Amino acid sequence: RLSRPARALLGAAVGVVAGHTVFLIATPAIGTDGLIYHLAEPAMWVTDGHPGTMHAVVSGLPVQAYPKTGEVLFGWAIGTARTPIATSLVMMAALVVAAVSAWSALRRLGVQQWIASTMTVALVVSPVMVAQVGGANTDMLTLAWVLCTGALCLGAISEPRLLPIALVAGGVAVGTKTTAIPIVAVALAVTTWRLRRDLTRQPIALLLATATTLGIGVVWYIQDFVVYHAPFYPFSRLPDGPQLPPVI
């Protein structure tokens, strides 16, 4: 249903993504955080066979207490391909998810096609996206899942069967980085409220989606509560938990 110019632009975008993917595989750009811990933890999990376990990889900063869904995804890619360069493929896929989600959300909000396309391109070529797409990073990965959650929530207003999928996407987002929590919580709460009369029509799907969300997103905060007596450690603490690291 796209116009001929839009199809041409879409084809050009696919070509750019494919070409840049090949470039990143040939000259990977892992980045500082990737070298310090986004790849260090998955490397240990691939070795010991226990993804999600806590390893103190940074002295003085307990990054092992951070949400680790992104790192588990990196570990799956590394363990499957037997090379850390596979994380570049994960990040390029996340870039595509972010672009499609942003464009879809804008269109569902009634934004004109050319404006939605311009805004999506502006997002994709922004400095943080360009800088992080080359290697294992979680900021862009989180943004992609937040945008995906938002797009699915908007879609669920007219197609309620998308709500369970939005729940799962939200779980991946909050399991990747804590900064996603307020945005995802508001989006899902508003959507669930608007669809409250339709919830009884798909109870099994919603229960399975909720369980999946807990297992892939909330599980890290439960782990922190058990280990550090605070769900958001090391960014906050409770009276009976350890002190915050000096760097925090």
Side-chain angles (χ1 to χ4, degrees):
R1 288 181 287 181
L2 294 176
S3 63
R4 183 173 296 177
R7 290 198 297 270
L9 288 173
L10 179 61
V14 171
V16 169
V17 169
H20 196 52
T21 301
V22 173
F23 173 76
L24 290 176
I25 292 174
T27 56
I30 301 300
T32 303
D33 286 353
L35 289 173
I36 292 175
Y37 68 98
H38 291 317
L39 283 182
E41 290 179 310
M44 292 183 178
W45 297 335
V46 169
T47 302
D48 65 23
H50 298 286
T53 53
M54 291 184 169
H55 294 287
V57 297
V58 179
S59 177
L61 181 60
V63 295
Q64 66 271 17
Y66 289 3
K68 296 182 280 287
T69 299
E71 283 77 9
V72 170
L73 179 59
F74 295 146
W76 172 81
I78 295 170
T80 303
R82 304 301 177 94
T83 171
I85 299 175
T87 57
S88 295
L89 300 178
V90 174
M91 297 305 292
M92 283 302 298
L95 185 72
V96 173
V97 169
V100 172
S101 299
W103 188 86
S104 175
L106 290 167
R107 291 293 289 153
R108 287 187 179 276
L109 289 171
V111 177
Q112 294 182 18
Q113 183 173 294
W114 70 273
I115 297 178
S117 300
T118 302
M119 294 176 69
T120 300
V121 171
L123 170 71
V124 169
V125 301
S126 61
V128 67
M129 304 289 270
V130 174
Q132 293 208 350
V133 74
N137 294 286
T138 56
D139 298 301
M140 194 201 84
L141 198 61
T142 305
L143 178 60
W145 290 115
V146 167
L147 289 169
C148 183
T149 305
L152 287 167
C153 284
L154 287 169
I157 301 302
S158 57
E159 182 50 73
R161 287 182 297 178
L162 290 177
L163 181 58
I165 308 175
L167 277 170
V168 174
V172 178
V174 302
T176 305
K177 206 171 182 70
T178 55
T179 46
I181 293 176
I183 305 172
V184 167
V186 170
L188 290 174
V190 171
T191 306
T192 302
W193 175 255
R194 293 191 61 176
L195 297 175
R196 59 190 182 278
R197 294 183 179 86
D198 298 307
L199 298 181
T200 56
R201 299 177 183 176
Q202 46 181 345
I204 296 178
L206 288 171
L207 285 173
L208 290 174
T210 301
T212 304
T213 299
L214 293 173
I216 61 179
V218 182
V219 62
W220 311 119
Y221 304 99
I222 298 174
Q223 183 185 54
D224 282 352
F225 187 80
V226 172
V227 176
Y228 300 105
H229 305 286
F232 300 109
Y233 191 85
F235 305 109
S236 64
R237 64 179 294 270
L238 295 178
D240 63 337
Q243 295 296 319
L244 297 182
V247 66
I248 296 291

Short mmCIF file of all heavy atoms in Angstrom, two decimals, residues 45-77:
data_model
loop_
_atom_site.label_atom_id
_atom_site.label_comp_id
_atom_site.label_asym_id
_atom_site.label_seq_id
_atom_site.Cartn_x
_atom_site.Cartn_y
_atom_site.Cartn_z
N TRP A 45 29.13 -16.63 31.11
CA TRP A 45 27.97 -17.53 31.05
C TRP A 45 28.16 -18.60 29.98
O TRP A 45 27.78 -19.75 30.18
CB TRP A 45 26.70 -16.73 30.75
CG TRP A 45 26.37 -15.73 31.82
CD1 TRP A 45 26.74 -15.79 33.14
CD2 TRP A 45 25.62 -14.53 31.66
NE1 TRP A 45 26.26 -14.69 33.80
CE2 TRP A 45 25.57 -13.90 32.93
CE3 TRP A 45 24.97 -13.93 30.58
CZ2 TRP A 45 24.89 -12.70 33.13
CZ3 TRP A 45 24.30 -12.74 30.77
CH2 TRP A 45 24.27 -12.13 32.04
N VAL A 46 28.73 -18.20 28.84
CA VAL A 46 28.98 -19.18 27.78
C VAL A 46 29.96 -20.24 28.28
O VAL A 46 29.86 -21.42 27.92
CB VAL A 46 29.54 -18.46 26.52
CG1 VAL A 46 30.05 -19.48 25.52
CG2 VAL A 46 28.45 -17.60 25.89
N THR A 47 30.89 -19.82 29.15
CA THR A 47 31.89 -20.75 29.67
C THR A 47 31.32 -21.66 30.74
O THR A 47 31.55 -22.87 30.73
CB THR A 47 33.09 -19.96 30.25
OG1 THR A 47 33.64 -19.13 29.23
CG2 THR A 47 34.16 -20.92 30.75
N ASP A 48 30.55 -21.06 31.70
CA ASP A 48 30.08 -21.89 32.82
C ASP A 48 28.68 -22.48 32.60
O ASP A 48 28.23 -23.32 33.38
CB ASP A 48 30.11 -21.10 34.13
CG ASP A 48 29.14 -19.91 34.16
OD1 ASP A 48 28.15 -19.92 33.40
OD2 ASP A 48 29.37 -18.99 34.96
N GLY A 49 27.98 -22.03 31.56
CA GLY A 49 26.68 -22.61 31.24
C GLY A 49 25.54 -22.16 32.13
O GLY A 49 24.51 -22.82 32.18
N HIS A 50 25.71 -21.03 32.83
CA HIS A 50 24.67 -20.55 33.75
C HIS A 50 24.35 -19.09 33.47
O HIS A 50 24.78 -18.19 34.21
CB HIS A 50 25.11 -20.72 35.20
CG HIS A 50 25.34 -22.14 35.60
ND1 HIS A 50 24.32 -23.03 35.82
CD2 HIS A 50 26.49 -22.85 35.79
CE1 HIS A 50 24.81 -24.21 36.15
NE2 HIS A 50 26.12 -24.14 36.12
N PRO A 51 23.60 -18.81 32.40
CA PRO A 51 23.27 -17.41 32.07
C PRO A 51 22.45 -16.75 33.16
O PRO A 51 21.54 -17.37 33.74
CB PRO A 51 22.47 -17.53 30.77
CG PRO A 51 21.95 -18.94 30.76
CD PRO A 51 22.99 -19.75 31.45
N GLY A 52 22.80 -15.50 33.46
CA GLY A 52 22.08 -14.74 34.47
C GLY A 52 22.71 -14.75 35.83
O GLY A 52 22.30 -13.99 36.71
N THR A 53 23.71 -15.62 36.05
CA THR A 53 24.38 -15.63 37.35
C THR A 53 25.23 -14.37 37.50
O THR A 53 25.60 -13.73 36.53
CB THR A 53 25.26 -16.87 37.51
OG1 THR A 53 26.15 -16.95 36.39
CG2 THR A 53 24.43 -18.13 37.57
N MET A 54 25.53 -14.03 38.75
CA MET A 54 26.25 -12.79 39.04
C MET A 54 27.76 -13.03 39.07
O MET A 54 28.24 -13.90 39.79
CB MET A 54 25.79 -12.22 40.39
CG MET A 54 24.37 -11.69 40.38
SD MET A 54 23.93 -10.94 41.96
CE MET A 54 22.37 -10.14 41.52
N HIS A 55 28.49 -12.24 38.29
CA HIS A 55 29.95 -12.26 38.28
C HIS A 55 30.44 -10.84 38.48
O HIS A 55 30.03 -9.93 37.76
CB HIS A 55 30.48 -12.80 36.95
CG HIS A 55 30.18 -14.25 36.71
ND1 HIS A 55 30.81 -15.26 37.38
CD2 HIS A 55 29.29 -14.85 35.88
CE1 HIS A 55 30.33 -16.43 36.97
NE2 HIS A 55 29.41 -16.20 36.06
N ALA A 56 31.32 -10.65 39.46
CA ALA A 56 31.87 -9.31 39.72
C ALA A 56 32.97 -9.01 38.70
O ALA A 56 34.12 -9.41 38.87
CB ALA A 56 32.43 -9.25 41.14
N VAL A 57 32.60 -8.33 37.63
CA VAL A 57 33.55 -8.08 36.54
C VAL A 57 34.16 -6.69 36.60
O VAL A 57 35.14 -6.41 35.92
CB VAL A 57 32.88 -8.29 35.17
CG1 VAL A 57 32.44 -9.74 35.01
CG2 VAL A 57 31.69 -7.37 34.99
N VAL A 58 33.59 -5.78 37.41
CA VAL A 58 34.10 -4.43 37.54
C VAL A 58 34.37 -4.15 39.01
O VAL A 58 33.46 -4.24 39.84
CB VAL A 58 33.12 -3.38 36.98
CG1 VAL A 58 33.68 -1.97 37.14
CG2 VAL A 58 32.82 -3.66 35.52
N SER A 59 35.59 -3.81 39.35
CA SER A 59 35.94 -3.52 40.74
C SER A 59 35.28 -2.23 41.20
O SER A 59 35.41 -1.19 40.56
CB SER A 59 37.47 -3.40 40.87
OG SER A 59 37.83 -3.06 42.19
N GLY A 60 34.55 -2.29 42.31
CA GLY A 60 33.95 -1.11 42.89
C GLY A 60 32.60 -0.73 42.32
O GLY A 60 31.97 0.22 42.80
N LEU A 61 32.14 -1.45 41.31
CA LEU A 61 30.83 -1.15 40.72
C LEU A 61 30.12 -2.48 40.43
O LEU A 61 30.51 -3.20 39.51
CB LEU A 61 30.97 -0.33 39.44
CG LEU A 61 29.66 0.06 38.74
CD1 LEU A 61 28.80 0.91 39.66
CD2 LEU A 61 29.94 0.80 37.43
N PRO A 62 29.09 -2.82 41.19
CA PRO A 62 28.43 -4.12 41.02
C PRO A 62 27.50 -4.15 39.81
O PRO A 62 26.27 -4.20 39.94
CB PRO A 62 27.66 -4.29 42.34
CG PRO A 62 27.35 -2.89 42.77
CD PRO A 62 28.52 -2.06 42.32
N VAL A 63 28.07 -4.13 38.61
CA VAL A 63 27.25 -4.18 37.39
C VAL A 63 26.50 -5.50 37.29
O VAL A 63 25.53 -5.60 36.53
CB VAL A 63 28.13 -3.96 36.14
CG1 VAL A 63 28.71 -2.56 36.12
CG2 VAL A 63 29.24 -5.00 36.06
N GLN A 64 26.93 -6.49 38.06
CA GLN A 64 26.21 -7.77 38.05
C GLN A 64 24.81 -7.63 38.63
O GLN A 64 23.97 -8.51 38.43
CB GLN A 64 27.00 -8.83 38.83
CG GLN A 64 27.13 -8.57 40.32
CD GLN A 64 28.34 -7.73 40.67
OE1 GLN A 64 28.92 -7.09 39.81
NE2 GLN A 64 28.73 -7.77 41.94
N ALA A 65 24.53 -6.51 39.32
CA ALA A 65 23.19 -6.27 39.86
C ALA A 65 22.28 -5.58 38.86
O ALA A 65 21.09 -5.42 39.12
CB ALA A 65 23.29 -5.44 41.14
N TYR A 66 22.83 -5.14 37.74
CA TYR A 66 22.01 -4.49 36.72
C TYR A 66 21.05 -5.52 36.10
O TYR A 66 21.34 -6.72 36.10
CB TYR A 66 22.89 -3.91 35.61
CG TYR A 66 23.70 -2.70 35.97
CD1 TYR A 66 23.71 -2.18 37.26
CD2 TYR A 66 24.49 -2.07 35.02
CE1 TYR A 66 24.47 -1.08 37.59
CE2 TYR A 66 25.25 -0.96 35.34
CZ TYR A 66 25.25 -0.47 36.62
OH TYR A 66 26.00 0.64 36.95
N PRO A 67 19.94 -5.06 35.52
CA PRO A 67 19.11 -5.99 34.73
C PRO A 67 19.93 -6.61 33.60
O PRO A 67 20.76 -5.93 32.99
CB PRO A 67 18.01 -5.08 34.18
CG PRO A 67 17.98 -3.91 35.09
CD PRO A 67 19.38 -3.70 35.56
N LYS A 68 19.71 -7.87 33.31
CA LYS A 68 20.62 -8.59 32.42
C LYS A 68 19.95 -9.25 31.22
O LYS A 68 20.55 -10.13 30.60
CB LYS A 68 21.40 -9.63 33.24
CG LYS A 68 22.31 -9.04 34.30
CD LYS A 68 23.10 -10.09 35.04
CE LYS A 68 22.28 -10.77 36.11
NZ LYS A 68 22.02 -9.91 37.28
N THR A 69 18.75 -8.85 30.88
CA THR A 69 18.10 -9.47 29.72
C THR A 69 18.90 -9.22 28.44
O THR A 69 19.05 -10.12 27.60
CB THR A 69 16.67 -8.94 29.56
OG1 THR A 69 15.91 -9.28 30.73
CG2 THR A 69 15.99 -9.56 28.35
N GLY A 70 19.42 -8.01 28.29
CA GLY A 70 20.24 -7.70 27.11
C GLY A 70 21.49 -8.55 27.06
O GLY A 70 21.85 -9.09 25.99
N GLU A 71 22.14 -8.71 28.20
CA GLU A 71 23.36 -9.52 28.24
C GLU A 71 23.06 -10.99 27.96
O GLU A 71 23.86 -11.69 27.33
CB GLU A 71 24.06 -9.36 29.59
CG GLU A 71 24.84 -8.06 29.76
CD GLU A 71 23.96 -6.86 30.05
OE1 GLU A 71 22.74 -7.06 30.28
OE2 GLU A 71 24.44 -5.73 30.04
N VAL A 72 21.92 -11.48 28.44
CA VAL A 72 21.54 -12.87 28.14
C VAL A 72 21.34 -13.04 26.63
O VAL A 72 21.74 -14.05 26.04
CB VAL A 72 20.27 -13.27 28.92
CG1 VAL A 72 19.74 -14.62 28.44
CG2 VAL A 72 20.56 -13.33 30.41
N LEU A 73 20.73 -12.03 26.00
CA LEU A 73 20.55 -12.07 24.55
C LEU A 73 21.91 -12.07 23.84
O LEU A 73 22.13 -12.84 22.89
CB LEU A 73 19.72 -10.88 24.09
CG LEU A 73 19.46 -10.75 22.59
CD1 LEU A 73 18.72 -11.98 22.07
CD2 LEU A 73 18.64 -9.49 22.30
N PHE A 74 22.84 -11.23 24.33
CA PHE A 74 24.19 -11.23 23.76
C PHE A 74 24.86 -12.60 23.96
O PHE A 74 25.54 -13.10 23.07
CB PHE A 74 25.04 -10.15 24.41
CG PHE A 74 24.57 -8.75 24.14
CD1 PHE A 74 24.71 -7.75 25.10
CD2 PHE A 74 23.99 -8.41 22.94
CE1 PHE A 74 24.27 -6.46 24.86
CE2 PHE A 74 23.54 -7.12 22.68
CZ PHE A 74 23.69 -6.14 23.65
N GLY A 75 24.66 -13.18 25.14
CA GLY A 75 25.25 -14.48 25.41
C GLY A 75 24.72 -15.56 24.49
O GLY A 75 25.47 -16.43 24.05
N TRP A 76 23.40 -15.48 24.20
CA TRP A 76 22.82 -16.44 23.25
C TRP A 76 23.47 -16.30 21.87
O TRP A 76 23.81 -17.30 21.23
CB TRP A 76 21.31 -16.21 23.15
CG TRP A 76 20.66 -17.01 22.07
CD1 TRP A 76 20.28 -18.32 22.12
CD2 TRP A 76 20.32 -16.55 20.75
NE1 TRP A 76 19.72 -18.71 20.90
CE2 TRP A 76 19.74 -17.63 20.05
CE3 TRP A 76 20.47 -15.33 20.10
CZ2 TRP A 76 19.30 -17.52 18.74
CZ3 TRP A 76 20.03 -15.21 18.79
CH2 TRP A 76 19.46 -16.30 18.13
N ALA A 77 23.65 -15.04 21.43
CA ALA A 77 24.26 -14.80 20.12
C ALA A 77 25.71 -15.28 20.09
O ALA A 77 26.14 -15.93 19.13
CB ALA A 77 24.18 -13.32 19.78
#
